[in-house]
């Protein structure tokens, strides 16, 4: 089976009144000399050494450890849940002061829960679940008791999704949150997002624009950009975003972290706020953002162990299939379809270099690669908005009007001529039929590659309902990734995109690849992603790049 590697990055992507009382006075950004704030504002990069230089030794030790190691230390009693939660709350406070990425702070709630977990451990001499004491964060769409859920709308503050007097305000809990608590995980924050969810950047009238912590002149992506930045700064051990058109994959690629987007029906989205909430033809899915493939796998496996289908009828009754993962892991070699450009927009030089490096690493490891030439992704670019925008997105304007706030620049063009009229039902049916036909053609193409083998950009993934994992590969280098003045653009969109590339401006920005697997093959994809990471590490070691 061929696994398609698609390219994405902050460098080249086409698609489509602060209310919280932040309890951060315990962790001010003033450690060391009084020049910390100035150095933050003047620094291009605030991940890695910069933020870690602000932390005390214990906090750094805990927050820098792998998630599996942290959980092991909690299980054997070497660390308490309170110690782990305190360390991540400290780092999260610095991350927010540096990057403005938290909409709702849950430190007090988290520390209270951590103490409960420690008491349970002391009494029963065991953990409550596989994630006992692990601090997590969620995009500002999920409801956590005692916290607001604004979804980046000012008019939602103090309400339940814009409505007052429902009795649910700060009392309702999303299904995913319930599962996390039952597993022992501890939510510590809700992260920022773009107003309305409908843009590939992160900006709202509550916190403002969120910049990339790898390069503060660039975007974090969107709509889960706050979570992407938060994970890059290691504000929590692992985080959650939502994805209906690349909203998890883009921020992961932009911020140099890993992400996982399953097919619809594997992880519960029940009880989360959303835009166009009745649109289920291309449904929003939960995505996970974190520091490694193993961290993504552990979280997914843990969530499925709660049997979420017993609480959410939209979740398929499919437990974690370890046998499928093992079968893929045990294969001596895999086959990969390499998709470096879609014929609509050519990726920038750093992205093409990342794809070349991955391809060379896979081939050096003995894996097979073939050229991926599927049905045109330009079709996907037409199908996606015809479905997801069929209602005219009138809820966006309605929600903004609750407070009278303006629409952020990133989405104003959608309403330049007022609220679009909803698509007539017969036309919507035709768009749905086109979607089904496109999925069938893509599946047929995938199957047709079997004789060539031994064993795809953003909205395409949601149109197909395929599963994906993003893997960071390298960073842009102004000396290696020079501007090609001889390049002949494919079209006007490609010309605009190509001219936007500036080697100096993008220097240091992460570049990633996206691995695409077929629908509901999440376990296989975890195994495949592990093999890709393994091949990259060996390739770099052999060439002295580590």
């Amino acid at each position: 089976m061929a696994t398609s590697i698609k390219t994405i990055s902050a460098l080249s992507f086409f698609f489509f009144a602060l209310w919280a009382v932040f309890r951060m006075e315990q962790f001010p950004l003033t450690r060391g000399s009084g020049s910390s704030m100035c150095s933050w504002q003047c620094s291009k990069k605030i991940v890695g050494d910069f933020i870690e230089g602000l932390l005390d030794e214990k906090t750094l030790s805990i927050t820098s450890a792998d998630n599996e190691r942290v959980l092991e230390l909690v299980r054997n009693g070497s660390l308490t849940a309170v110690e782990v939660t305190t360390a991540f709350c400290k780092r999260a406070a610095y991350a927010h002061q540096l990057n403005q990425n938290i909409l709702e702070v849950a430190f007090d709630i988290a520390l209270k829960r951590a103490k409960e977990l420690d008491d349970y451990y002391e009494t029963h001499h065991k953990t409550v679940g596989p994630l006992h004491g692990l601090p997590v964060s969620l995009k500002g769409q999920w409801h956590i008791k005692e916290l607001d859920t604004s979804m980046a709308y000012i008019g939602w503050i103090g309400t339940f999704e814009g409505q007052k007097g429902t009795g649910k305000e700060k009392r309702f809990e999303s299904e995913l949150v319930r599962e996390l608590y039952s597993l022992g995980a501890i939510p510590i924050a809700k992260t920022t997002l773009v107003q309305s969810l409908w843009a590939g950047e992160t900006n709202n009238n509550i916190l403002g624009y969120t910049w990339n912590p790898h390069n503060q002149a660039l975007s974090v992506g969107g709509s889960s950009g706050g979570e992407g930045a938060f994970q890059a700064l290691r504000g929590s051990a692992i985080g959650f975003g939502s994805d209906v058109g690349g909203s998890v994959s883009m921020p992961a690629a932009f911020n140099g972290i890993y992400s996982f987007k399953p097919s619809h029906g594997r992880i519960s989205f029940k009880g989360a706020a959303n835009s166009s909430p009745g649109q289920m033809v291309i449904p929003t899915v939960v995505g996970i953002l974190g520091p490694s493939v193993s961290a993504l796998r552990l979280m997914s496996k843990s969530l499925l162990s709660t049997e979420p289908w017993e609480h959410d009828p939209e979740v398929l009754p499919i437990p974690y299939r370890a046998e499928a993962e093992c079968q893929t892991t045990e294969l001596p070699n895999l086959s990969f379809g390499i998709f470096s450009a879609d014929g609509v927009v050519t990726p920038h030089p750093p992205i093409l270099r990342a794809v070349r490096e991955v391809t060379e690493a896979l081939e050096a490891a003995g894996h097979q690669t073939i050229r991926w030439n599927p049905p045109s992704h330009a079709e996907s670019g037409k199908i996606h908005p015809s479905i997801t925008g069929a209602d005219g997105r009138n809820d966006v304007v309605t929600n903004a009007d609750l407070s009278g706030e303006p629409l952020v620049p990133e989405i104003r063009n959608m309403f330049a001529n007022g609220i679009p009229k909803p698509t007539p039902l017969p036309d919507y049916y035709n768009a749905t039929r086109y979607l089904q036909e496109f999925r069938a053609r893509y599946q047929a193409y995938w199957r047709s590659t079997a004789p060539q083998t031994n064993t795809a950009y953003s909205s395409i993934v949601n149109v197909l309902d395929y599963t994906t994992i993003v893997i960071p590969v390298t960073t842009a280098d102004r000396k290696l990734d020079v501007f090609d003045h001889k390049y002949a653009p494919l079209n006007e969109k490609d010309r605009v995109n190509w001219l936007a590339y500036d080697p100096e401006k993008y220097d240091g920005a992460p570049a990633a690849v996206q691995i695409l697997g077929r629908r509901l093959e999440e376990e296989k994809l975890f195994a495949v992603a592990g093999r890709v990471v393994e091949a990259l590490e060996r390739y770099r070691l052999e060439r002295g790049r580590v």
Side-chain angles (χ1 to χ4, degrees):
M1 180 186 300
T3 297
S4 179
I5 292 183
K6 314 283 174 86
T7 59
I8 53 179
S9 159
L11 304 174
S12 176
F13 220 106
F14 73 98
F15 269 74
F16 46 96
L18 184 60
W19 84 96
V21 179
F22 290 104
R23 295 184 57 83
M24 296 183 175
E25 62 274 13
Q26 305 170 61
F27 319 120
L29 188 62
T30 56
R31 180 172 179 262
S33 69
S35 62
S36 297
M37 187 64 73
C38 177
S39 61
W40 152 63
Q41 292 172 330
C42 300
S43 178
K44 179 179 181 179
K45 178 181 177 180
I46 57 174
V47 297
D49 291 344
F50 190 97
I51 187 171
E52 291 177 356
L54 298 168
L55 306 175
D56 61 83
E57 185 176 345
K58 183 175 182 179
T59 297
L60 178 59
S61 174
I62 293 173
T63 60
S64 298
D66 293 339
N67 290 0
E68 294 89 340
R69 177 60 176 163
V70 171
L71 290 168
E72 178 186 355
L73 292 173
V74 172
R75 279 194 300 270
N76 66 30
S78 298
L79 284 175
T80 66
V82 167
E83 287 177 308
V84 174
T85 303
T86 299
F88 273 99
C89 286
K90 284 184 178 181
R91 186 157 182 160
Y94 283 117
H96 175 74
Q97 291 177 86
L98 291 169
N99 187 246
Q100 293 290 289
N101 47 42
I102 298 178
L103 275 173
E104 286 287 342
V105 175
F107 297 169
D108 288 347
I109 300 171
L111 289 168
K112 179 181 177 182
R113 176 56 177 164
K115 179 62 167 59
E116 293 172 351
L117 293 176
D118 286 340
D119 290 344
Y120 180 92
Y121 184 88
E122 185 175 350
T123 301
H124 300 280
H125 308 291
K126 64 178 182 179
T127 60
V128 302
L131 304 180
H132 184 111
L134 190 71
V136 301
S137 50
L138 302 95
K139 184 179 182 180
Q141 291 178 257
W142 278 275
H143 295 286
I144 299 175
K145 291 178 180 178
E146 300 183 51
L147 296 180
D148 268 316
T149 300
S150 70
M151 210 171 77
Y153 289 115
I154 291 176
W156 278 29
I157 298 170
T159 74
F160 180 78
E161 299 184 9
Q163 299 181 29
K164 297 180 180 179
T166 66
K168 295 182 178 181
E169 294 86 347
K170 297 187 179 182
R171 296 180 181 177
F172 185 78
E173 185 175 79
S174 301
E175 169 61 19
L176 176 63
V177 175
R178 186 198 67 80
E179 293 170 15
L180 289 169
Y181 276 129
S182 74
L183 292 164
I186 304 175
I188 66 171
K190 291 205 279 188
T191 51
T192 192
L193 60 154
V194 69
Q195 178 198 53
S196 83
L197 307 176
W198 292 118
E201 298 177 77
T202 296
N203 189 16
N204 57 60
N205 296 310
I206 300 171
L207 291 180
Y209 197 89
T210 305
W211 298 96
N212 195 309
H214 284 272
N215 181 334
Q216 294 197 89
L218 302 177
S219 168
V220 293
S223 61
S224 308
E227 192 59 51
F230 200 57
Q231 290 302 312
L233 292 162
R234 191 65 171 161
S236 73
I238 199 164
F240 294 86
S242 64
D243 195 312
V244 73
S247 289
V248 164
S249 300
M250 281 189 276
F254 286 24
N255 292 281
I257 58 174
Y258 294 80
S259 73
F260 165 62
K261 186 211 81 70
S263 295
H264 174 63
R266 292 308 302 273
I267 300 178
S268 177
F269 192 63
K270 180 183 176 184
N274 204 14
S275 288
S276 301
Q279 192 283 110
M280 293 297 291
V281 176
I282 300 179
T284 298
V285 298
V286 179
I288 309 173
L289 302 94
S292 65
V293 173
S294 61
L296 303 177
R297 180 197 295 113
L298 173 62
M299 178 56 71
S300 302
K301 188 174 182 179
S302 298
L303 289 172
L304 290 177
S305 74
T306 67
E307 299 185 347
W309 50 87
E310 295 291 344
H311 302 271
D312 181 356
E314 291 295 324
V315 178
L316 299 170
I318 305 176
Y320 192 86
R321 298 163 295 186
E323 66 281 0
E325 184 179 357
C326 290
Q327 290 171 2
T328 305
T329 301
E330 292 170 357
L331 290 172
N333 302 108
L334 303 176
S335 298
F336 293 84
I338 306 298
F339 191 59
S340 58
D342 67 353
V344 180
V345 174
T346 299
H348 289 158
I351 308 306
L352 295 174
R353 180 166 59 85
V355 175
R356 286 196 301 270
E357 183 174 337
V358 173
T359 304
E360 291 170 6
L362 291 171
E363 292 174 347
H367 300 297
Q368 181 185 16
T369 64
I370 65 170
R371 183 179 178 182
W372 194 251
N373 188 29
S376 174
H377 283 205
E379 291 186 74
S380 169
K382 296 176 181 177
I383 293 170
H384 188 271
S386 73
I387 299 294
T388 60
D391 62 350
R393 300 190 173 115
N394 64 301
D395 60 312
V396 175
V397 176
T398 299
N399 288 324
D401 285 347
L402 290 173
S403 66
E405 66 176 303
L407 299 178
V408 294
E410 291 75 17
I411 64 171
R412 285 178 194 161
N413 64 305
M414 296 181 181
F415 307 97
N417 299 313
I419 301 175
K421 293 182 179 180
T423 301
L425 189 57
D427 294 341
Y428 186 72
Y429 285 167
N430 288 335
T432 303
R433 291 177 61 189
Y434 184 17
L435 166 69
Q436 293 172 326
E437 187 268 337
F438 180 76
R439 286 178 173 177
R441 280 192 287 121
Y442 210 100
Q443 182 184 50
Y445 170 74
W446 196 306
R447 290 177 59 85
S448 75
T449 65
Q452 305 175 52
T453 64
N454 298 326
T455 57
Y457 296 82
S458 170
S459 69
I460 184 71
V461 174
N462 302 85
V463 167
L464 297 170
D465 194 25
Y466 281 3
T467 182
T468 69
I469 290 178
V470 168
I471 294 176
V473 178
T474 186
T475 56
D477 187 322
R478 64 180 183 275
K479 296 180 181 179
L480 296 176
D481 306 313
V482 298
F483 185 86
D484 185 358
H485 293 278
K486 296 181 180 180
Y487 175 74
L490 303 173
N491 49 55
E492 178 59 18
K493 181 182 291 186
D494 190 37
R495 184 189 71 81
V496 172
N497 176 73
W498 193 256
L499 292 178
Y501 177 62
D502 182 333
E504 293 293 331
K505 180 180 295 184
Y506 288 117
D507 186 54
V513 296
Q514 181 172 229
I515 309 175
L516 176 65
R518 290 199 292 189
R519 185 170 180 268
L520 300 175
E521 292 192 342
E522 290 80 8
E523 293 86 353
K524 289 183 180 180
L525 198 63
F526 280 130
V528 170
R531 302 288 289 275
V532 173
V533 172
E534 181 182 277
L536 272 171
E537 290 175 348
R538 184 184 304 125
Y539 178 80
R540 291 166 179 162
L541 185 62
E542 291 174 351
R543 285 156 181 76
R545 297 183 185 179
V546 176

